[in-house]
Amino acid sequence: MITLYNTLAREKQEFKPITPGVVNMYVCGMTVYDYCHIGHARMVVVFDVIARWFRESNYKVNYVRNITDIDDKIIKRATENGELISALTERFIAAMNEDFDALGVIRPDHEPRATEHVGGMQSIISKLFDRGLAYSAPNGDVYYAVRQFQGYGKLSRKNLADQRAGERVEVDANKQDAADFVLWKSAKADEPAEVKWPSPWGLGRPGWHIECSAMSCHHLGEHFDIHGGGEDLQFPHHENEIAQSEGAHGQQYVNYWLHNGFINVDNEKMSKSLGNFFIIREVLAKYDAEVLRFFILRAHYRSPLNYSDVHLDDAKNALNRLYTTLKSVPPVDVEIDWAEPYAARFKAAMDDDFSTTEAVAVLFELALYANKHAGMSEGSQASGLLKALAKILGLLQRDPSAYLQAGTTDSEWTNEKIESAIVARKEARAAKNWAESDRIRNELSAAGIVLEDTPQGTSWRRE
RNA sequence: GGCGGAGUAGCAAAAUGGUUAUGCCGCGGCCUGCAAAGCCGUUUACGCCGGUUCGAUUCCGACCUCCGCCUCCA
């Protein structure tokens, strides 16, 4: 039985699918006008693992993660660059795929793009007009009449009367109410033709929130199981999605709302305005992508997670221990027996709101057991189980030596050069010439290469 | 002002009404030519004050501090 924390109910609940054996899940993805940062990495890794765990639990998963390829920031960036919007978005979609692939994220079953669903958005807006939930403003924009929707604020627990309208942002005079939000934006003269779609309300483009209502409905129906995203999307984005979808369709939109916590820097939210954000590809230039993935999964998905080089170094050292175990205690292929104590604890952890933190702790306990029983069949069994369980988290599937010897920085010490140094050292050791053998080892050590003498010979790794 | 989250050992991070989290780092030991890796051991952990309880880090109440959302944001 899987339990998950439902933001809508503010408590952990047992997961009950609408259709037995099926999970329909929608996650708000990227707005593609720039490179992805590690906050995005956390979001995709977290929901990747959630999808993996449902599959492991024998559910058929329909995982949809959208791509927002039309919005204000995209238009602004394309205009600044003097390039077509489609050229800009294609470029960053390609970059996004590179980054997410590197992180071992399995592609969602569907990755709809907003621009492909404008028709669906218009049809929802029409329904909202029919139900008296939408209105055209003097400036040609179409707005959602928030106060006409009963239950507005039920996700974010916001009470319209308590909000301080206009305190931070001036209220648009076109709105009937400060809380109303735009469904359709009328075309502006200086906007490129690429962003102008015909509609019953004139030439224009969709508001932000409507795309997710349309794309989720297209792939998963009017009522589906799980909707996820970063915690900041709770309000207003997800609140508005509920208003749109439930307002148009007259039935419950989503059963379980899941929100991942942020990556912080110095205990503050990572954001562009603070200038404290890190792009995935910058981080991957310094650290192996698996280290970043491990770092993310070591924390619970709802907790804030502080990012720094010190913390990634810590994660790197920890991951090294697991790979070192797999290297020194070769795993056998294992079919997971969920009744086996370690596996049972792993499963209990994952079933309990996807507690990867506890699941990772089980991996380390297996590593300890494997190391203690190195050379025995219990050891290789434990090592095999370690690898099999880690696979569910998308970790530890590479050849251990290849992982440990991979360097993020190229040194002049090629593998061949290292190997020949090891041969030279072996000869020195055979002659009990310890001074020479230690000189060679120190030379390698200075280059970040660590030698390990074992009964089977000398192996090496990069630090 | 409203709503929500959090304060755990040097660092990171979980669970839990009484029993070892886990990892990194440090220290000691075993092993090793010496190391590394591994194994063993190790540093009075639970913001503060009350309450409930045989017993609270864990439940209840007050307080302090921090963070997030209320505007685009994963």
Side-chain angles (χ1 to χ4, degrees):
Chain A
M1 180 183 90
I2 294 176
T3 59
L4 34 70
Y5 184 86
N6 186 357
T7 306
L8 193 59
R10 303 289 161 110
E11 64 179 17
K12 278 189 206 173
Q13 298 178 325
E14 178 184 346
F15 176 71
K16 294 177 183 162
I18 294 167
T19 305
V22 176
V23 178
N24 286 135
M25 177 164 96
Y26 183 95
V27 173
C28 290
M30 293 295 308
T31 300
V32 283
Y33 71 103
D34 208 341
Y35 293 110
C36 300
H37 59 236
I38 54 177
H40 299 126
R42 187 181 195 188
M43 179 269 291
V44 295
V45 166
V46 158
F47 286 102
D48 176 52
V49 166
I50 288 173
R52 286 172 186 247
W53 184 245
F54 274 118
R55 286 187 210 109
E56 191 63 37
S57 305
N58 297 315
Y59 283 97
K60 165 83 177 78
V61 178
N62 297 315
Y63 176 19
V64 181
R65 190 183 65 215
N66 74 293
I67 294 171
T68 298
D69 59 352
I70 174 65
D71 101 322
D72 291 354
K73 289 193 288 290
I74 292 172
I75 296 170
K76 183 165 179 282
R77 184 63 59 88
T79 306
E80 283 168 6
N81 293 353
E83 67 180 329
L84 283 174
I85 282 166
S86 53
L88 177 84
T89 57
E90 287 300 337
R91 203 149 51 82
F92 284 111
I93 287 169
M96 172 188 86
N97 285 141
E98 267 178 39
D99 292 343
F100 294 173
D101 287 350
L103 288 166
V105 173
I106 297 172
R107 300 272 178 102
D109 300 286
H110 301 282
E111 291 186 86
R113 302 181 185 189
T115 51
E116 295 165 350
H117 288 268
V118 176
M121 300 182 212
Q122 293 185 357
S123 118
I124 292 177
I125 296 171
S126 293
K127 285 178 189 157
L128 292 173
F129 266 105
D130 293 345
R131 290 171 180 260
L133 293 167
Y135 62 91
S136 291
N139 65 356
D141 289 356
V142 174
Y143 290 97
Y144 191 106
V146 161
R147 281 179 199 273
Q148 300 305 310
F149 178 69
Q150 266 194 329
Y152 189 80
K154 66 182 176 183
L155 177 68
S156 55
R157 308 247 164 146
K158 292 192 187 308
N159 186 305
L160 285 175
D162 294 336
Q163 303 306 309
R164 296 177 165 190
E167 172 150 317
R168 297 176 68 188
V169 175
E170 207 169 325
V171 177
D172 190 325
N174 288 289
K175 292 183 181 181
Q176 291 176 4
D177 189 283
D180 292 349
F181 59 92
V182 68
L183 293 165
W184 187 259
K185 299 181 179 185
S186 59
K188 311 293 182 294
D190 60 345
E191 288 173 345
E194 271 186 290
V195 302
K196 293 173 181 172
W197 282 266
S199 84
W201 320 286
L203 215 54
R205 59 191 168 96
W208 174 39
H209 314 294
I210 194 68
E211 63 173 78
C212 287
S213 286
M215 288 186 272
S216 63
C217 182
H218 179 263
H219 286 287
L220 304 174
E222 295 179 359
H223 176 209
F224 56 95
D225 300 295
I226 295 174
H227 191 128
E231 64 180 0
D232 57 337
L233 296 184
Q234 221 175 93
F235 188 89
H237 184 54
H238 291 161
E239 195 69 61
N240 292 349
E241 273 189 66
I242 292 174
Q244 292 165 341
S245 295
E246 299 192 355
H249 301 138
Q251 66 166 313
Q252 171 138 9
Y253 177 41
V254 167
N255 284 159
Y256 305 93
W257 287 88
L258 268 47
H259 292 98
N260 67 277
F262 276 107
I263 285 187
N264 293 163
V265 174
D266 296 329
N267 273 320
E268 283 194 319
K269 176 178 170 176
M270 206 176 65
S271 74
K272 296 204 169 183
S273 55
L274 286 167
N276 62 350
F277 66 99
F278 295 87
I279 300 302
I280 292 173
R281 44 192 59 205
E282 287 174 351
V283 174
L284 297 193
K286 289 173 71 180
Y287 294 92
D288 191 287
E290 194 168 346
V291 170
L292 181 54
R293 185 179 176 99
F294 177 78
F295 167 73
I296 290 166
L297 293 177
R298 223 161 39 134
H300 186 88
Y301 77 90
R302 283 190 283 114
S303 302
L305 177 58
N306 259 311
Y307 174 87
S308 76
D309 279 3
V310 171
H311 297 145
L312 273 200
D313 286 339
D314 185 277
K316 178 186 173 181
N317 289 340
L319 188 61
N320 267 10
R321 172 173 165 79
L322 296 178
Y323 263 123
T324 300
T325 301
L326 292 179
K327 191 183 89 173
S328 50
V329 189
V332 293
D333 280 335
V334 166
E335 190 79 14
I336 298 171
D337 168 15
W338 291 111
E340 191 282 329
Y342 289 104
R345 282 185 51 213
F346 184 95
K347 177 171 161 50
M350 292 302 288
D351 278 348
D352 181 13
D353 198 27
F354 316 105
S355 182
T356 55
T357 307
E358 187 68 24
V360 166
V362 172
L363 299 186
F364 280 99
E365 289 173 31
L366 269 168
L368 174 61
Y369 186 91
N371 282 137
K372 275 190 191 179
H373 298 83
M376 300 176 235
S377 74
E378 301 102 292
S380 42
Q381 284 287 328
S383 195
L385 181 57
L386 164 62
K387 187 174 178 183
L389 292 174
K391 185 179 185 186
I392 296 168
L393 301 178
L395 297 170
L396 300 178
Q397 298 308 298
R398 287 193 267 167
D399 174 72
S401 290
Y403 170 81
L404 292 165
Q405 293 178 351
T408 44
T409 51
D410 287 285
S411 74
E412 52 233 73
W413 284 92
T414 60
N415 291 14
E416 294 70 29
K417 200 173 162 191
I418 293 167
E419 297 294 351
S420 63
I422 288 173
V423 170
R425 179 167 168 273
K426 185 182 178 187
E427 286 164 7
R429 293 184 74 211
K432 298 208 188 300
N433 183 352
W434 307 128
E436 172 63 6
S437 108
D438 289 352
R439 186 197 64 74
I440 294 171
R441 188 171 61 197
N442 290 339
E443 191 181 7
L444 288 164
S445 173
I449 296 146
V450 182
L451 299 188
E452 294 171 358
D453 296 331
T454 74
Q456 291 77 40
T458 299
S459 68
W460 63 275
R461 65 186 160 88
R462 290 185 203 273
E463 280 202 313

